[in-house]
Amino acid sequence: MSLRIALIGAGHMGRIHLQKLAAMDGVTVSGIADTDRVRAAELSEQYALPFVDDYHALLGNSDGVVVSTPTEAHYEIGRAFLAGGAHLFMEKPITSETSQARELIQLAKEKGLVFQVGHLERFNPAFTKAAALVKAPLYIETRRVSPFTGRSTDITVILDLMIHDIDLVLSLARSPVKEVKAQGMAFVSEKLDMVNARLEFENGCVANLTASRVASERERTVAVFEGRRYFCADLMEGRLTTASTDEKGGMETVVYEGLKGDAVNLELMEFMAAIRGEAKPSVTGEDGLNALVLADLIDQHIDKRRSI
């Protein structure tokens, strides 16, 4: 089954998506839409594809759509394509507001369409290896920091970077959130650039998340403690370190190396398989909504602290 896929948004992530889509067997990119005509024209020439500056021109001629625009445009574009019968892959965060996400989820259900959200770290081999081993986490610690790039300053670091780890933590804890505490500050932009959040879940698991886009170097790690076992996934280096202790205090450490893969390609391949009815998305619209709800709670707690 050959699929026609439209790409909306040709910025940093859009270019990556286009590269993957153009190389896939059984997939034809039906068109590129971007309000920046120069940028879209450049990609149009490079890949010999049609481009438009108004996404409406691509409605009705695609089986699915990949939306990689600024977050504030997600709802309008997603609604238009779902209403037109196209399966939807939405970059993270799912939408700007939770009410918008809920509406898109409901529309996809009514139309019987696939709705997948681009939380690509779920496809990181270092994380998937750890997730397969973790059973009942008691404490989770994540760090996602990087130097300032100038991108995504229209949103906070919570929606820019931390949203990835919020999704990972929710997938590991598998429990409702009981309490949220957080603090953060703006440093080089008008939005929050550094945030630390502490989450307590109803099952007793606690998570501590740190995100910064003004750090001196890059780090992306997820550490999990449960009973006598410890896991640390380095998502950048593709390495998983596990350690376990016995009742006599002995410790066994195992290091898995080479856990690297093309997460963007993997998530897009899953999207195509879901459209064909061969698989179900690992990251659904509901998962995207859950991450956004928690991101909002973290943001609200910081605002509350500021007002005291």
Side-chain angles (χ1 to χ4, degrees):
M1 177 183 177
S2 181
L3 299 175
R4 300 166 301 161
I5 305 296
L7 174 69
I8 314 300
H12 175 71
M13 280 305 300
R15 288 172 181 265
I16 296 174
H17 283 302
L18 179 57
Q19 179 187 30
K20 311 303 177 186
L21 291 169
M24 285 184 184
D25 292 333
V27 173
T28 299
V29 179
S30 53
I32 306 166
D34 197 290
T35 54
D36 186 331
R37 291 184 61 85
V38 174
R39 182 165 59 192
E42 175 190 336
L43 292 176
S44 173
E45 181 177 354
Q46 179 181 350
Y47 290 94
L49 297 170
F51 80 91
V52 295
D53 58 7
D54 185 345
Y55 70 86
H56 290 91
L58 297 177
L59 291 171
N61 71 341
S62 303
D63 300 300
V65 60
V66 174
V67 180
S68 186
T69 64
T71 307
E72 63 265 21
H74 285 188
Y75 167 69
E76 178 185 303
I77 296 171
R79 184 180 59 179
F81 277 92
L82 287 173
H87 300 279
L88 176 63
F89 180 98
M90 185 75 81
E91 257 304 335
K92 63 80 190 170
I94 182 171
T95 50
S96 297
E97 301 176 11
T98 56
S99 61
Q100 297 172 339
R102 290 188 175 92
E103 183 178 334
L104 294 184
I105 290 168
Q106 183 60 34
L107 182 56
K109 287 181 179 179
E110 292 173 357
K111 294 282 188 177
L113 297 168
V114 175
F115 186 7
Q116 185 172 335
V117 181
H119 286 286
L120 59 83
E121 292 287 29
R122 287 275 203 107
F123 297 83
N124 187 305
F127 176 78
T128 57
K129 179 71 173 179
L133 299 173
V134 171
K135 296 179 180 178
L138 296 174
Y139 177 72
I140 305 171
E141 183 171 17
T142 71
R143 284 184 56 81
R144 186 174 298 264
V145 302
S146 66
F148 187 66
T149 65
R151 294 196 306 267
S152 301
T153 54
D154 59 314
I155 56 177
T156 68
V157 73
I158 303 171
L159 295 181
D160 180 18
L161 299 181
M162 186 178 280
I163 193 80
H164 284 296
D165 296 320
I166 291 172
D167 175 66
L168 296 184
V169 166
L170 287 173
S171 73
L172 291 171
R174 298 187 293 274
S175 174
V177 176
K178 179 180 178 181
E179 184 178 34
V180 175
K181 292 183 179 180
Q183 57 187 5
M185 64 176 291
F187 188 71
V188 296
S189 74
E190 295 182 357
K191 304 286 187 177
L192 292 169
D193 294 312
M194 298 178 290
V195 169
N196 176 264
R198 183 186 185 279
L199 313 175
E200 184 176 339
F201 295 88
E202 290 184 2
N203 64 2
C205 179
V206 172
N208 189 72
L209 292 75
T210 298
S212 171
R213 54 189 178 195
V214 289
S216 59
E217 55 187 32
R218 299 179 72 206
E219 179 183 351
R220 295 179 182 178
T221 56
V222 179
V224 184
F225 296 81
E226 59 170 21
R228 296 180 179 272
R229 301 202 303 168
Y230 161 77
F231 309 86
C232 183
D234 189 321
L235 304 179
M236 288 179 56
E237 298 299 325
R239 180 173 58 248
L240 173 64
T241 302
T242 72
S244 58
T245 61
D246 57 32
E247 294 180 355
K248 297 180 180 180
M251 178 176 290
E252 179 183 3
T253 301
V254 178
V255 179
Y256 301 90
E257 301 276 5
L259 299 176
K260 290 190 175 183
D262 191 336
V264 175
N265 193 62
L266 289 171
E267 65 179 356
L268 288 175
M269 289 292 289
E270 186 179 81
F271 180 53
M272 303 310 154
I275 292 176
R276 295 186 176 106
E278 301 167 354
K280 293 184 178 181
S282 299
V283 188
T284 63
E286 287 84 353
D287 291 320
L289 171 61
N290 291 338
L292 182 60
V293 168
L294 187 46
D296 281 353
L297 288 174
I298 293 170
D299 193 37
Q300 290 165 17
H301 189 271
I302 294 172
D303 280 344
K304 184 178 180 180
R305 285 174 58 93
R306 283 176 165 180
S307 63
I308 295 176

